[in-house]
Amino acid sequence: MDIFKPLALSTLIAAPLFLIGCSSDDNHVSRVSYQIEVTNLTAAQPMSPLAVALHSGSYAMWQIGTSASSGLEQLAEGGDNTALLAEASSAHAVTMTGNGLILPGTSDSIIINTNMKSDLALSFATMLVNTNDGFTGLSGDKLSNLALGETRSTELLALDAGTEANSESVVTIPGPAAGGEGYNVDRDDRDTVGGHPGVVTSADGLATSALGEEHRFDNPVARVTITRLK
Amino acid sequence: MRKLLSGFAVTGALLSAPAMAQDLTISITNLTHGTYFTPLLVAAHANGNHLFQTGVAASAHLQAMAEGGDITGLSADMTAINADKIENPAGGLLAPGATTTLNLINAAGNDQLSFTAMLLPTNDGFVGVDALSIPTAAGTYTYRVNGYDAGTEANDEIINGAGAPGNPGIPADPGGASGTGGTGVTSTEANTLVHIHRGVLGDSDPTGGASDLDSSVHRWLNPVAELTITVN
């Protein structure tokens, strides 16, 4: 987690130097600040509290076609961001958790600060809680091309952690549609992260599904707006 | 197709001239959950040429690709117009989640990019891009790519080994998740022009039902692929 006191201090010291365009002084590392606002665009898929990380190019929260980390599995199956944030922290990321569940049609917004570096990137993840292991987010979105005061919006795709088969059964979905189990250690799907195929639901022939027609979704499932504040 | 452009690349786009050969690194990622891409055909060609067009009837060569994964006809079409092309960069099927990367040198004038591959298992579904203007400024550009229906075969969703044009049915499910004994989802094709694929229906009965496909495995949402072009 970032600490506020040193931020305020370094801002005060660095501010005069910014005005004359000096940023190479080793004693005054530039601080940057981003507002991250995530809007849930689905009909009836609450999204779990955000796991947000600012990091360098050496860390990846996930990659398409690669096995999910244990932290990502825990977020995608159960909505718990604790382990994923711990993984990012141990990879020297600055991390933050969101303010809570993001209900359909609503947004969550956080402000996160760190030291400027040339390969700075944003990653975040949130679970679609009425799924087995569906989530959305960004992995390694480069921030170096976002100028001070600039805003960028990106529409987000539904992703599948690939760690749990999409049975949609009442015992396997943790969201309010089912109230079943969240994370378990088993990996009984293809074990690589990829695009989510959507949910079938009991309304469309999967009799064992705990989900109704309202739980279906299409891409994009969310929108993120990133603004560089400092 | 929706575009996600890197900011730095956009600002540079107006500053450089395209009147010479380019060195492109192209990556294609399969974003589906349980659908394979048959051998890809990737081509840079001149304006006015196409591998496919929405709202237009499929050529016989497109039909052969979409129903059976055969790119020989489309590839010959590209040779005939002096396109720069790469066949089968993945060396066979591109599995769900997998990425293939290729290098393509495109001659001056071959400034549009198209690619196709069959979506397997489907009757005549394919993934592709039609005549995308290749960026001219150095940088990396990412595109979201949709799935299409060739409109040449009814989407019965019966796996019977049929891949030749005109024969109903699906050649195979490479992922081994399909069932048997389906009675057929439909025997007609309402739109006989190339159109956005409505997706497969599938069912949860491995030995019966209407479809041989599994609704929990073989469905997809667009985009079905991600295309990345790096202009070197």
Side-chain angles (χ1 to χ4, degrees):
Chain A
M1 290 295 263
D2 207 0
I3 304 165
F4 272 82
K5 224 170 205 175
L7 164 70
L9 200 59
S10 69
T11 306
L12 284 173
I13 295 167
L17 299 175
F18 263 111
L19 294 176
I20 56 169
C22 173
S23 58
S24 60
D25 188 332
D26 286 346
N27 294 324
H28 305 290
V29 176
S30 311
R31 295 291 283 178
V32 284
S33 177
Y34 296 91
Q35 181 178 48
I36 314 293
E37 181 176 34
V38 178
T39 302
N40 181 339
L41 302 179
T42 69
Q45 287 283 346
M47 292 179 179
S48 68
L50 298 170
V52 184
L54 293 181
H55 56 86
S56 65
S58 59
Y59 169 74
M61 197 170 263
W62 70 84
Q63 289 179 280
I64 300 292
T66 299
S67 183
S69 70
S70 175
L72 182 68
E73 180 185 11
Q74 291 178 52
L75 178 135
E77 292 185 13
D80 182 353
N81 64 20
T82 311
L84 185 59
L85 290 172
E87 285 174 1
S89 286
S90 62
H92 311 295
V94 172
T95 64
M96 274 188 85
T97 185
N99 295 302
L101 276 176
I102 311 174
L103 297 175
T106 71
S107 303
D108 189 23
S109 178
I110 59 136
I111 293 173
I112 185 167
N113 311 297
T114 188
N115 292 332
M116 185 48 147
K117 49 189 139 194
S118 60
D119 62 346
L120 188 66
L122 166 72
S123 294
F124 72 91
T126 173
M127 180 191 185
L128 280 65
V129 302
N130 289 321
T131 66
N132 287 91
D133 59 341
F135 72 103
T136 189
L138 285 174
S139 185
D141 186 48
K142 289 185 178 64
L143 293 174
S144 56
N145 50 18
L146 194 65
L148 183 61
E150 200 176 358
T151 291
R152 175 166 76 218
S153 282
T154 305
E155 292 184 332
L156 302 175
L157 305 181
L159 300 173
D160 189 310
T163 57
E164 183 174 303
N166 294 336
S167 68
E168 304 177 23
S169 69
V170 68
V171 296
T172 62
I173 289 183
E181 178 191 59
Y183 166 71
N184 71 55
V185 72
D186 295 339
R187 296 199 175 198
D188 59 356
D189 201 356
R190 69 180 212 208
D191 201 14
T192 60
V193 177
H196 201 288
V199 292
V200 181
T201 81
S202 57
D204 197 14
L206 185 59
T208 53
S209 174
L211 305 179
E213 64 82 20
E214 71 276 20
H215 299 116
R216 294 175 302 154
F217 52 85
D218 202 350
N219 285 316
V221 292
R223 180 177 60 243
V224 60
T225 302
I226 307 164
T227 303
R228 184 175 163 194
L229 302 174
K230 280 184 202 147
Chain B
M1 185 170 52
R2 210 178 283 119
K3 267 200 273 196
L4 280 180
L5 288 178
S6 300
F8 69 92
V10 176
T11 51
L14 300 173
L15 303 176
S16 70
M20 53 189 300
Q22 289 177 291
D23 177 1
L24 308 173
T25 303
I26 295 171
S27 293
I28 297 168
T29 300
N30 180 343
L31 294 180
T32 71
H33 188 65
T35 309
Y36 290 69
F37 297 174
T38 62
L40 287 147
L41 174 63
V42 182
H45 54 76
N47 185 28
N49 297 298
H50 304 273
L51 288 173
F52 70 93
Q53 287 178 278
T54 53
V56 173
S59 68
H61 291 163
L62 183 71
Q63 181 180 8
M65 185 282 298
E67 295 188 19
D70 178 2
I71 58 173
T72 53
L74 289 177
S75 186
D77 293 342
M78 290 296 101
T79 300
I81 59 164
N82 296 315
D84 302 298
K85 64 178 184 182
I86 300 286
E87 293 177 42
N88 194 16
L93 298 171
L94 188 69
T99 297
T100 184
T101 300
L102 59 104
N103 189 248
L104 183 65
I105 308 290
N106 60 322
N110 282 343
D111 55 1
Q112 300 200 340
L113 186 80
S114 295
F115 82 82
T116 57
M118 181 189 183
L119 295 167
L120 193 65
T122 67
N123 288 89
D124 60 339
F126 68 96
V127 54
V129 156
D130 170 32
L132 168 73
S133 290
I134 299 170
T136 54
T140 296
Y141 305 79
T142 301
Y143 306 85
R144 293 174 175 179
V145 181
N146 292 324
Y148 296 90
D149 188 313
T152 55
E153 182 175 310
N155 294 346
D156 65 8
E157 303 186 12
I158 301 296
I159 295 185
N160 60 0
N167 292 349
I170 296 174
D173 174 23
S178 59
T180 58
T183 56
V185 169
T186 180
S187 58
T188 60
E189 180 71 1
N191 184 347
T192 58
L193 310 179
V194 175
H195 55 277
I196 289 284
H197 204 292
R198 59 192 183 272
V200 296
L201 189 62
D203 60 42
S204 50
D205 183 346
T207 57
S211 174
D212 286 344
L213 305 182
D214 186 326
S215 57
S216 295
V217 174
H218 294 120
R219 289 187 178 188
W220 67 80
L221 301 175
N222 279 322
V224 295
E226 182 174 274
L227 166 69
T228 300
I229 303 174
T230 299
V231 180
N232 296 307

